[in-house]
Amino acid sequence: MPLGMDATKAGKGDQGMQAPGGQMDKPVSFHFLESMLPKVVKRRVHALKKLQVQCANIEAKFYEEVHELERKYAALYQPLFEKRRDVVTGTVEPTDEECEWHSDREEEEELAEEVKEKAAIEDSKKEEAPPQEDPKGIPEFWLTIFKSVDMLSDMLQEHDEPILKHLKDIQVKFSEPGQPMSFTLEFHFEPNGFFNNAVLTKVYKMKSEPDTSDPFSFEGPEIIDCEGCQIDWHKGKDVTVKTIKKKQKHKGRGTVRTVTKQVPNDSFFNFFNPVKVSPDGEMDEDSEFTLATDFEIGHFFRERIVPRAVLYFTGEALEDDESFEEEELEEGDEEEQDDDGDDDDDEGDFDPKA
């Protein structure tokens, strides 16, 4: 499956999106139903369950091959992504032919004409003004994406923005054959005054095999853990901590002293210092939610942001995402209305004299 193609488009469940340690709830009624079956029928049901486990094992092999396809096609995409990086950073200026783009949207074309007319008027006004230097590449390309996508803007703080202006590329790397399934997000930065790292990494470890204790919960590969990296901050530039001052009064002498200490600070760069999965699988609710959110963000970078970056920069991908969410919402509303209708029918059948 090519990088950027949702697994749902391949006819399977969305990859890597199961919550950490999440299992499918098994309604009690199913167990009750099975217990009520005649012994001879129950025996045959057990045979079907064994077949279902074999199906799950075949499905796991399918996803392993999908991962290999992703790795293969990632190599084909890479030259295009490298050219995208070069255009964004201004290393390469695209030719006139490469810049030709014909939009099928008439409204956009009309708007573009209006913008051109206004620009021509503004240019005529500025003829006597000193010429301004053309911007290099596409300024603040990735920062604009971060600010536009709700999932990322929620993590973004004002003090992160000057740093992310130096972000020149984000890449996805897949694990090699024979290695445990994983993918790595690489954030490439130009030299800056905040840290020494040229690349910040986040590794997402995956599992693609049925759980022996609950094989029927298998719905495809799931992210099971992630690992960040150490950021080599310049002195006084670490935005993930803040220094606070506290006054302490001596109980005996009554003297007061001021103590300074560092405490955690909200920042996107905490993304590289994630919550760790507990070895015994026991985690409090907050940690589990934080980890599940982290997994979702990593998956979103891999499947959407990196492959379709320019469309998130222009906002076109955001429109697609919103349309998809609206469709889901409408379907949900219809279901609720149907349920309400059923309730009305039930009330109509109710006999108060019974």
Side-chain angles (χ1 to χ4, degrees):
M1 176 165 50
L3 174 65
M5 180 184 289
D6 287 325
T8 49
K9 294 178 182 177
K12 292 290 180 181
D14 201 8
Q15 285 202 69
M17 293 306 293
Q18 292 187 46
Q23 300 288 347
M24 291 174 61
D25 292 332
K26 295 179 285 296
V28 177
S29 58
F30 289 174
H31 294 298
F32 178 74
L33 174 64
E34 189 175 332
S35 66
M36 296 297 290
L37 293 173
K39 189 173 181 180
V40 65
V41 176
K42 190 188 300 184
R43 179 172 172 274
R44 293 164 192 152
V45 169
H46 290 168
L48 295 185
K49 284 188 173 182
K50 289 192 71 173
L51 292 176
Q52 190 63 43
V53 171
Q54 292 177 46
C55 287
N57 288 324
I58 291 173
E59 189 177 9
K61 294 293 182 184
F62 164 82
Y63 281 116
E64 286 176 11
E65 292 194 26
V66 166
H67 187 74
E68 287 304 307
L69 275 177
E70 285 185 310
R71 193 178 60 80
K72 172 186 173 182
Y73 277 87
L76 301 179
Y77 284 118
Q78 193 56 34
L80 303 178
F81 290 158
E82 287 174 359
K83 189 155 191 177
R84 178 179 71 185
R85 175 201 61 207
D86 292 343
V87 171
V88 166
T89 58
T91 307
V92 167
E93 183 63 36
T95 65
D96 290 342
E97 184 181 354
E98 289 173 329
C99 293
E100 284 182 7
W101 180 256
H102 301 287
S103 174
D104 293 331
R105 303 182 182 182
E106 292 181 3
E107 290 181 7
E108 283 186 6
E109 291 172 359
E110 289 173 8
L111 183 61
E113 286 300 321
E114 290 177 14
V115 171
K116 283 180 186 177
E117 288 175 11
K118 289 180 181 178
I121 294 170
E122 291 296 322
D123 287 342
S124 64
K125 291 179 181 178
K126 295 178 182 178
E127 281 180 359
E128 296 179 4
Q132 293 184 347
E133 187 178 342
D134 287 337
K136 182 182 178 183
I138 304 178
E140 302 182 13
F141 179 79
W142 291 103
L143 175 58
T144 300
I145 294 171
F146 272 64
K147 293 167 78 171
S148 301
V149 177
D150 289 343
M151 190 183 293
L152 304 183
S153 65
D154 287 346
M155 299 191 294
L156 193 63
Q157 305 298 319
E158 190 174 343
H159 47 251
D160 295 325
E161 294 186 20
I163 309 175
L164 288 170
K165 287 180 181 179
H166 297 283
L167 179 60
K168 61 182 184 179
D169 198 21
I170 304 176
Q171 297 180 12
V172 180
K173 298 293 175 66
F174 293 92
S175 53
E176 294 296 324
Q179 293 182 343
M181 187 182 291
S182 69
F183 67 91
T184 303
L185 299 176
E186 295 183 350
F187 296 74
H188 294 252
F189 287 83
E190 62 189 14
N192 61 79
F194 298 93
F195 47 72
N196 293 318
N197 312 63
V199 183
L200 300 180
T201 59
K202 184 78 170 278
V203 179
Y204 286 90
K205 301 173 184 179
M206 304 178 72
K207 173 187 172 185
S208 182
E209 57 186 31
D211 190 327
T212 52
S213 63
D214 187 14
F216 306 130
S217 67
F218 182 70
E219 294 181 341
E222 60 177 323
I223 298 172
I224 56 171
D225 198 4
C226 59
E227 188 175 312
C229 67
Q230 186 74 33
I231 302 179
D232 185 14
W233 294 99
H234 291 174
K235 187 175 180 181
K237 297 294 185 179
D238 186 350
V239 295
T240 64
V241 295
K242 60 183 176 182
T243 302
I244 61 171
K245 293 182 179 181
K246 293 183 70 176
K247 290 185 177 180
Q248 293 181 342
K249 187 175 181 180
H250 193 280
K251 289 183 179 178
R253 294 192 295 270
T255 56
V256 177
R257 67 174 183 175
T258 301
V259 178
T260 60
K261 69 173 186 175
Q262 287 190 328
V263 295
N265 193 29
D266 290 338
S267 168
F268 163 73
F269 291 91
N270 290 320
F271 180 69
F272 300 98
N273 183 27
V275 173
K276 295 301 294 178
V277 174
S278 173
D280 59 7
E282 295 294 326
M283 298 181 71
D284 62 70
E285 193 172 325
D286 287 344
S287 297
E288 193 167 294
F289 176 78
T290 300
L291 198 60
T293 302
D294 189 310
F295 291 176
E296 186 178 357
I297 291 167
H299 180 82
F300 195 74
F301 267 117
R302 162 187 157 166
E303 293 289 335
R304 306 288 292 177
I305 298 293
V306 173
R308 298 160 59 85
V310 66
L311 301 181
Y312 281 97
F313 177 79
T314 62
E316 292 163 87
L318 296 172
E319 292 176 8
D320 291 343
D321 291 346
E322 286 170 4
S323 298
F324 181 70
E325 287 171 6
E326 284 175 7
E327 282 182 21
E328 283 191 329
L329 204 61
E330 287 171 7
E331 288 175 5
D333 289 343
E334 286 176 8
E335 287 175 7
E336 287 178 10
Q337 288 173 3
D338 290 344
D339 291 342
D340 292 342
D342 292 342
D343 291 342
D344 292 341
D345 291 343
D346 291 344
E347 288 176 9
D349 293 338
F350 176 69
D351 185 0
K353 297 178 182 177

